[in-house]
Amino acid sequence: QQQVKQSPQSLIVQKGGISIINCAYENTAFDYFPWYQQFPGKGPALLIAIRPDVSEKKEGRFTISFNKSAKQFSLHIMDSQPGDSATYFCAASMWGTDKLIFGTGTRLQVFP
Amino acid sequence: EPEVTQTPSHQVTQMGQEVILRCVPISNHLYFYWYRQILGQKVEFLVSFYNNEISEKSEIFDDQFSVERPDGSNFTLKIRSTKLEDSAMYFCASRPRLGRVETQYFGPGTRLLVL
């Protein structure tokens, strides 16, 4: 119930392509869904986040799509660049708790 | 830009030894966290700390673990008697008073290896 499942584990994309990472959850009490980006040797950094009352949120080349009925959400990276190569984590939180529940991570490699 | 810092970056210890991992949160932040990531696995919440006391802890955070804010700048995680399965990357995080829990700022981590 507290899990967030993430796929794929790794992803290779050509420069300029679209990277898509998917996450699914079971607990309907989750009410906020952030995505974190982690570069080697660094801690996770908040990238973009969405609430379940919104179906899509876009910030620059990064878009979250949210499907409340399916309990799924995904990160789309448009026009992927080599600088986007990193590990991406989806996460979930619920009101009243003080913790993030992370997915297992996706290692993205963007080749020129 | 202010950052969360952690020391040491790497630590190797023998099973049964005590270790202290140190963190300096961002200066005006009031909520502090420890997470860990076993190699190849997901990031897991350990504990949150506010107003000099634990506000929430996970099942992982048993009696072998403790946290402390010994002064106005440091936040520490102590493992009293390390086990092989404690080998992981440990992340400290902090957030300001305002803002949702997900606005946590993470440090670069301490890689702990227990032999």
Side-chain angles (χ1 to χ4, degrees), chain A residues 84-103:
Chain A
D84 296 331
S85 297
T87 299
Y88 292 81
F89 294 96
C90 61
S93 70
M94 67 179 84
W95 189 258
T97 75
D98 207 18
K99 64 185 179 184
L100 290 164
I101 308 297
F102 281 88

Side-chain angles (χ1 to χ4, degrees), chain A residues 3 9 31-32 34 36 38 41-44 46 49 51 89 93-104, chain B residues 3 31 33 35 37 40-45 48-49 55-56 91 95 100-108:
Chain A
Q3 284 187 342
Q9 190 173 10
D31 68 343
Y32 210 93
Y36 280 79
Q38 184 181 27
K42 300 284 189 179
L46 180 64
R51 294 188 183 279
F89 294 96
S93 70
M94 67 179 84
W95 189 258
T97 75
D98 207 18
K99 64 185 179 184
L100 290 164
I101 308 297
F102 281 88
T104 49
Chain B
E3 290 182 331
Y31 292 81
Y33 307 84
Y35 290 80
Q37 184 179 27
Q41 299 185 24
K42 63 182 178 181
V43 178
E44 298 174 293
F45 170 81
S48 59
F49 190 85
S55 51
E56 190 171 357
F91 292 106
R95 71 175 173 99
R100 279 209 47 149
V101 62
E102 66 283 341
T103 52
Q104 296 175 20
Y105 296 82
F106 284 78

Side-chain angles (χ1 to χ4, degrees), chain A residues 1 4 8 25-26 41 54 61 63 73 76 82 94 98-99 110:
Chain A
Q1 277 266 326
V4 178
Y25 64 97
E26 289 293 326
V54 176
R61 295 184 295 108
T63 300
F73 58 110
H76 296 237
M94 67 179 84
D98 207 18
K99 64 185 179 184
V110 181

Side-chain angles (χ1 to χ4, degrees), chain B residues 23-59:
Chain B
C23 168
V24 178
I26 295 172
S27 64
N28 63 343
H29 286 191
L30 299 175
Y31 292 81
F32 313 111
Y33 307 84
W34 284 101
Y35 290 80
R36 78 173 186 188
Q37 184 179 27
I38 295 172
L39 187 64
Q41 299 185 24
K42 63 182 178 181
V43 178
E44 298 174 293
F45 170 81
L46 291 178
V47 66
S48 59
F49 190 85
Y50 170 70
N51 199 26
N52 282 320
E53 61 182 27
I54 291 173
S55 51
E56 190 171 357
K57 62 182 180 179
S58 73
E59 295 168 351

Side-chain angles (χ1 to χ4, degrees), chain A residues 20 33 35-36 48 67-68 76 78 97 99:
Chain A
I20 302 174
F33 302 88
W35 284 88
Y36 280 79
I48 187 173
N67 186 330
K68 188 174 181 178
H76 296 237
M78 312 300 284
T97 75
K99 64 185 179 184

